[in-house]
Structure formats: structure tokens, C-alpha cells
Amino acid sequence: MIDAALTLRAFNDLFPDEEAARAWFERARWPDGPVCPVCGCVDHACWLKTIRRWECTACRRQFSVTAGTPMHRTHLPLLTWAQAIYLIVASSKGISAVKLAEMLGVSYETAWHLGHRIRAMMAEQNTLLSGIVEIDETYAGAPPRKRAKPERKDDDRDPPPPNPKGRGTKRPLLLVAAERGGDVVTKVIPTHGKAAVAEALSSVLDADAVAMTDGLPAYKHLGAARTHLSVNHSQREYARTDEATGHRVHVNRVESFNGFLGRAVVGVFHFVSPKHLGRYAGEAAFRWNRKAEACLERMARLVRNGVGRTLPYGFLTGAA
């Protein structure tokens, strides 16, 4: 039985050197033996000690445990990868690239790329939410700073101009759906409009799911295909019992996740661009959804999730 928490001393005992790290990655990715990424043969490969790779006995192609994952063609030791995965998975809200670089002894650019590749491995796809699903939207990042007062030599008593009210902020927008008692799914959306919300939710909600939202008009269309219940925050209504269904109507769970994500962004990363918001939100969702799992199992799940995904440095730094 694996304890939920993996202490630093236990981690160091489990990963004493590069060979132990490679063996763990192989067990995590291939529990039934090496799988050839070319022909798909399972446990039909031999280990080539001189070049430290596997060779498929069926198609004779050579491969390693990093093939076809965000670790593909990495120049970093697998032990460094294991350490980075452990630090990110074991933390409560994530680790900045500056701190990761300091702890691993690598450059900032290396740590930044490493962090994004690990977030890509955290992303979980094809999650379908059922039962009662709470839906809400949130802006990523801290609210805008208070504007400075314009320079006026003739009057020092004027207060600084207020920040614009309403939904005019330029911060990236995220739609969050949380199954009550289940998983959370996040989607980056361009606006609060009905079309953007409908497209984001089209692959998330089960046909029989009951949607619960606040009073945003863009959610009204949900009632055409399913049961839709809402609370009116503008009237200070935050929870109620629906007489027709008997459901307790609120969005407390999804707002709790939004607060969790907001604290991670403001307290750890400080700024998140729209281009990378999906990966940061995916990291928060992975952490939220898998918090009951043992640390080592979360690390292994992350490795399995990464199969079939790559994230070159050029893609991250290119134009959005």
C-alpha cells in the first residue's frame, strides 16, 4: 500500500540514480512490458546495452521510453525529469519556472520548457461529466492595478480614475464545469457569448447531466436540451432548493475550484497569457481531480497521459 504522500527521503530512495529513474519510467508507461511505438508489439523487444535503447524483435525499430511523449529527444537526464515531476505533482499549487530552475540546477529557459511539457502530460481528455454539473466562468490572473492619477499641475485633489467596470478586462477567460462529487473540466473561451459557451460545453456534458449556473444570459440555452437550474447572484441568491426537482441549487464547488486556480496564478505564476492558459488550467484540474490518489500514482498517471503528445520549444515560443 503506497502512502498518499511521498516524502523527499522516500523519493530519493526510490530514484537513487539514472538507471533507477529509467526503470521507473518504463514500468509506469509499460506495465505489461515495452510496447513498440511503430508496430505496437507488446513485450517483444530486447535491450541494447551499448546504445541504451530497446529494439523491437518484430519490426527491428529502435525506441526508448521517451519516444512519442513530451520527453521525446530530451537532453535532460531521466532523473531530472523524475525530480521535476515529483516537485510539481507534490506541490499544492505548482512551482514557478524560476523556483524549478533553482531547485534542479538548470537554466530558466530549460525549466520553463520542462514545466510546460509536464503540464502537457497532465492534460486529461475525453472527460464526460454527468449527474449535477456546476458551470461558471472565471478570469485568469490578478485584477488590473489601480490606475495612476494623471499629472495635473493645477489640482492635486483629483482621485485616480477608476478601472473600467463590467466585462471589458483583457485578462484571458476560462469556462469551468465541475461535476458535483466528481471531476473538473476547463476550457479556454474567447468571450462570454452564447456561441462560445455552447461550443466549449458540447463535448463536456453528458446528455442527462443537470446544469447549474449563475444568472449569466449565455447559459440560458442550456435549458433547451437538459434540466438547467440557476441562482441569481445579483439578487444575493447563492443557494436554493428547487421545488420541482428537489435539487440543491448552487455553484459553490465550481467557484471553489476557480478560487484554487486564482490563488495558484496570483501566488505562484503571477501572470498567464491566453496562449498558455489551457495548460495552466489543465495542471490545476489534474491536481484537483487526482488529489485523493497517492503521489506516486499521480506521477505514473502523468507519464501514461503523455503518450502521443509532443511539445517542441519552437511551438511554445512561436506566435500565438
Side-chain angles (χ1 to χ4, degrees), residues 121-150:
M121 297 164 75
M122 285 179 159
E124 297 183 285
Q125 299 177 344
N126 303 322
T127 302
L128 196 64
L129 305 181
S130 59
I132 297 176
V133 180
E134 302 174 17
I135 304 167
D136 194 22
E137 74 288 342
T138 183
Y139 289 106
R145 294 181 178 178
K146 194 173 184 179
R147 293 183 176 182
K149 184 178 69 173

Side-chain angles (χ1 to χ4, degrees), residues 29-30 33-45 53-69 72 307-309:
R29 179 177 178 178
W30 302 316
V35 179
C36 177
V38 179
C39 68
C41 285
V42 180
D43 203 20
H44 283 81
R53 288 186 181 182
W54 291 96
E55 182 177 287
C56 178
T57 56
C59 67
R60 295 299 177 184
R61 294 295 295 271
Q62 296 176 2
F63 60 94
S64 69
V65 71
T66 63
T69 73
H72 187 57
V307 177
R309 304 174 185 176

Side-chain angles (χ1 to χ4, degrees), residues 47-242:
W47 177 249
L48 306 178
K49 292 183 179 180
T50 54
I51 60 174
R52 304 182 63 78
R53 288 186 181 182
W54 291 96
E55 182 177 287
C56 178
T57 56
C59 67
R60 295 299 177 184
R61 294 295 295 271
Q62 296 176 2
F63 60 94
S64 69
V65 71
T66 63
T69 73
M71 300 185 292
H72 187 57
R73 293 183 177 178
T74 180
H75 296 287
L76 293 173
L78 290 180
L79 181 58
T80 301
W81 272 94
Q83 291 167 341
I85 291 173
Y86 169 72
L87 291 171
I88 291 176
V89 167
S91 63
S92 60
K93 294 179 180 66
I95 296 180
S96 68
V98 172
K99 178 57 67 174
L100 191 63
E102 176 185 326
M103 299 179 77
L104 296 178
V106 298
S107 67
Y108 170 81
E109 291 78 10
T110 297
W112 182 80
H113 188 203
L114 180 60
H116 275 295
R117 284 181 287 179
I118 292 174
R119 292 183 192 100
M121 297 164 75
M122 285 179 159
E124 297 183 285
Q125 299 177 344
N126 303 322
T127 302
L128 196 64
L129 305 181
S130 59
I132 297 176
V133 180
E134 302 174 17
I135 304 167
D136 194 22
E137 74 288 342
T138 183
Y139 289 106
R145 294 181 178 178
K146 194 173 184 179
R147 293 183 176 182
K149 184 178 69 173
E151 294 184 2
R152 293 182 57 181
K153 297 180 179 180
D154 57 336
D155 191 354
D156 293 333
R157 294 171 297 174
D158 287 350
N163 288 317
K165 296 183 178 180
R167 302 186 181 276
T169 179
K170 295 181 180 180
R171 289 182 291 162
L173 187 60
L174 194 71
L175 186 69
V176 183
E179 180 179 319
R180 195 168 289 179
D183 288 349
V184 167
V185 174
T186 61
K187 297 281 186 178
V188 179
I189 55 176
T191 69
H192 290 86
K194 172 184 174 181
V197 170
E199 181 181 357
L201 293 175
S202 61
S203 60
V204 171
L205 299 181
D206 183 76
D208 297 326
V210 176
M212 293 190 180
T213 69
D214 57 19
L216 185 71
Y219 295 134
K220 291 182 178 180
H221 74 280
L222 295 174
R226 68 187 72 253
T227 302
H228 173 220
L229 306 172
S230 64
V231 288
N232 192 343
H233 288 173
S234 63
Q235 299 298 321
R236 296 184 178 275
E237 180 186 56
Y238 301 102
R240 65 181 178 86
T241 300
D242 184 66

